[in-house]
Amino acid sequence: MRRKYVLGLLAILAFTITGIAQKSDSSTHHKFVHNGRFYGSWGYNSEWYTHSNISVNQPGMQNNYTFENLRAHDRVGWNNLFHVQPTIPQYNYRIGYFFDEKQLWGIEINFDHTKYVVTQGSLAIVDGTYKGHKVDTAVQINSNTLFWQLNNGANWFLVNIVRKFPIIKTSDNKVVIYALLKGGFGPNVPHVDDVIFGDQNHPHFQVGGVNTGIEALVRITFFQYAFIEYCNKVDYADYWGLRVYGGTASQSFGAYEMIANIGFTFHTKKTEGTYTAR
């Protein structure tokens, strides 16, 4: 239950931050406008993960135990970037819309195709019931005891509230620099591939839990339409009901991401006198 509380607190924190930003700018207009600015981006990411536990429940096998204090890493795959499909490395995309008169507030669909791989060769404690017997012992993590990867994606979807903070721009608006702060909540759609004590599952995609995240970034827009951005993000993902051989598994972990994106931005229509913050 502890991870549920942590997840809730992070979600509250994400929306509290955006609420504080809103209160700090009482002059901002929040009326919804129909000539707001859309944007979309595509990029790649790298992750670092907290240690975590994986709990396994296989009723028909009389198994109900937990692998404790597991280490994990990402799998970037950028070394063959120009020789494989662009969706094979760890990628991400964002689609958003600034909806208020000042073009400082937006809403965004945010997706991160992150890869999560339990590190082989380390020791972990297995605690619980295995084949009907109480266990509390150390095992070496290898391809026979636990092979666990979300290599086709831990796959975090978020619906974000976005706040823009202008920094500097040229007099002709050809280069505009600003910061963005985002916070949101959404589902996980992992692709689970595992072998647990010799029993292999059928790798599959599924909706399996929720996540919440906070993201801060700097965006540089060129000639009103193209931009590049550098992002830092923290995310907490809680997985449950993951199908494994003979049962289900659950897991939760935190992650830190570094992200680089390229993208585009445009108004839905031009209106005389409309504020056009980029």
Side-chain angles (χ1 to χ4, degrees), residues 123-134:
L123 291 178
I125 299 296
V126 176
D127 183 24
T129 303
Y130 180 70
K131 294 185 178 179
H133 300 285
K134 178 66 177 178

Side-chain angles (χ1 to χ4, degrees), residues 7-123:
L7 184 62
L9 287 172
L10 283 173
I12 293 170
L13 177 62
F15 289 103
T16 299
I17 289 175
T18 54
I20 292 172
Q22 180 177 7
K23 290 179 181 179
S24 67
D25 185 5
S26 60
S27 65
T28 300
H29 298 282
H30 302 294
K31 178 182 177 182
F32 188 91
V33 296
H34 297 291
N35 61 325
R37 182 169 285 272
F38 276 104
Y39 65 88
S41 67
W42 176 278
Y44 292 108
N45 55 71
S46 292
E47 287 77 43
W48 292 263
Y49 298 108
T50 61
H51 294 189
S52 67
N53 301 336
I54 296 178
S55 296
V56 179
N57 185 20
Q58 299 163 310
M61 303 167 67
Q62 296 184 318
N63 292 340
N64 189 357
Y65 55 84
T66 300
F67 290 92
E68 298 180 353
N69 201 34
L70 294 167
R71 300 179 181 182
H73 58 274
D74 66 349
R75 180 167 291 169
V76 178
W78 295 0
N79 54 324
N80 293 318
L81 188 59
F82 298 104
H83 304 285
V84 298
Q85 297 179 15
T87 58
I88 288 180
Q90 297 170 167
Y91 67 89
N92 42 265
Y93 65 75
R94 285 88 171 91
I95 300 172
Y97 180 71
F98 287 104
F99 54 78
D100 66 306
E101 290 176 319
K102 290 289 188 180
Q103 295 292 272
L104 297 178
W105 286 91
I107 189 168
E108 175 187 87
I109 297 174
N110 180 302
F111 173 69
D112 292 341
H113 177 71
T114 56
K115 300 188 178 186
Y116 177 94
V117 182
V118 168
T119 301
Q120 300 285 286
S122 60
L123 291 178

Side-chain angles (χ1 to χ4, degrees), residues 247-273:
T248 60
S250 61
Q251 180 185 25
S252 60
F253 53 80
Y256 164 66
E257 286 186 79
M258 287 198 305
I259 304 167
N261 291 327
I262 59 173
F264 64 92
T265 179
F266 60 91
H267 268 99
T268 55
K269 62 180 179 179
K270 296 205 180 277
T271 302
E272 187 69 24

Side-chain angles (χ1 to χ4, degrees), residues 17-18 21 161-165 179-183 214-216:
I17 289 175
T18 54
I161 298 297
V162 183
R163 177 64 161 89
K164 180 191 295 183
F165 299 91
L180 294 176
L181 181 64
K182 310 174 184 179
I214 301 172
E215 184 175 337

